[in-house]
């Protein structure tokens, strides 16, 4: 058995669809095949204003893969992956997630243009699901030294996209 392995960079985690079937072609065949995603999606929503000195937001995933065996769809989920996003006015950041088999610890950090840490928040044991968006939302820039209770709201959104990937043959 040959297993193809591809490497992906932090922002290039692709949407990957899969469908497996066996059929015998002994006459004209016409069949629609609807493929399903094998990745999940993370949406980070920052609920407060991003300070003007913040140049980038990073999301660190504790248990993500950096390669995918395309033939067997096997993964090694023991890697730490950090994704970096420039702050350009958006308060929502997205990435696709390969690991839908086990939970991940996620750390969100913000930095100035000189890489000084501005804020850091973590959420533990987030479980992603295939073809679903998991939304993490919270205020990221709580005032230091206050007794404000902090935490994340985690919502698994079952609606991703109403269109399907259709192959006619």
């Amino acid at each position: 058995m040959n297993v193809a392995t591809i490497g992906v960079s932090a922002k290039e985690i692709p949407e990957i669809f899969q469908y497996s079937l066996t059929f015998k072609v002994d006459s004209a065949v016409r069949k629609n095949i609807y493929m399903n995603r094998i990745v999940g999606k993370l949406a980070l929503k920052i609920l407060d204003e991003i300070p003007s000195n913040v140049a980038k937001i990073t999301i660190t995933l504790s248990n993500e893969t950096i390669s995918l065996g395309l033939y067997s769809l096997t993964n090694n989920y023991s890697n730490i992956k950090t994704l970096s996003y420039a702050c350009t006015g958006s308060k929502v950041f997205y990435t696709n997630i390969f690991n839908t088999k086990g939970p991940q610890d996620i750390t969100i950090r913000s930095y100035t243009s000189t890489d000084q840490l501005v804020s850091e928040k973590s959420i533990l044991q987030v479980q992603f699901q295939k073809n679903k968006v998991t939304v993490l939302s919270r205020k990221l820039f709580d005032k230091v030294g206050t007794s404000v209770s902090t935490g994340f709201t985690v919502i698994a959104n079952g609606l991703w996209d109403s269109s399907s990937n259709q192959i006619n043959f």
Side-chain angles (χ1 to χ4, degrees):
M1 168 181 8
N2 293 326
V3 176
T5 302
I6 59 169
V8 295
S9 68
K11 286 195 175 179
E12 295 175 355
I13 299 172
E15 287 194 36
I16 299 175
F17 295 81
Q18 181 239 355
Y19 186 83
S20 178
L21 81 138
T22 303
F23 59 92
K24 181 179 177 184
V25 179
D26 55 3
S27 62
V29 175
R30 184 172 240 345
K31 181 172 179 71
N32 293 334
I33 298 173
Y34 298 94
M35 299 173 65
N36 296 309
R37 284 182 188 85
I38 63 167
V39 296
K41 185 179 280 280
L42 165 64
L44 169 64
K45 291 185 178 183
I46 298 174
L47 300 178
D48 49 358
E49 291 303 314
I50 297 175
S52 60
N53 66 330
V54 172
K56 71 178 175 183
I57 304 284
T58 64
I59 301 171
T60 301
L61 305 162
S62 69
N63 199 22
E64 184 62 331
T65 187
I66 58 172
S67 65
L68 173 67
L70 293 179
Y71 181 75
S72 61
L73 299 176
T74 58
N75 300 300
N76 174 5
Y77 296 122
S78 61
N79 297 288
I80 295 174
K81 178 174 275 189
T82 299
L83 305 125
S84 183
Y85 301 89
C87 289
T88 58
S90 176
K91 296 192 321 182
V92 182
F93 304 91
Y94 298 96
T95 187
N96 291 330
I97 303 290
F98 279 138
N99 182 1
T100 58
K101 296 188 184 300
Q104 298 197 51
D105 296 340
I106 299 173
T107 303
I108 296 108
R109 295 181 181 96
S110 65
Y111 295 92
T112 65
S113 60
T114 58
D115 283 332
Q116 284 188 303
L117 181 66
V118 175
S119 64
E120 178 177 350
K121 306 291 181 191
S122 295
I123 181 169
L124 305 177
Q125 302 294 299
V126 177
Q127 179 65 55
F128 294 94
Q129 296 177 357
K130 292 179 182 180
N131 203 42
K132 289 193 177 182
V133 179
T134 299
V135 180
L136 303 180
S137 60
R138 74 150 299 140
K139 289 185 176 183
L140 188 58
F141 303 100
D142 296 24
K143 294 180 181 177
V144 177
T146 65
S147 61
V148 175
S149 175
T150 61
F152 277 92
T153 301
V154 179
I155 303 165
N157 180 1
L159 302 175
W160 189 342
D161 188 353
S162 61
S163 63
S164 60
N165 190 14
Q166 181 175 316
I167 300 172
N168 296 318
F169 66 98

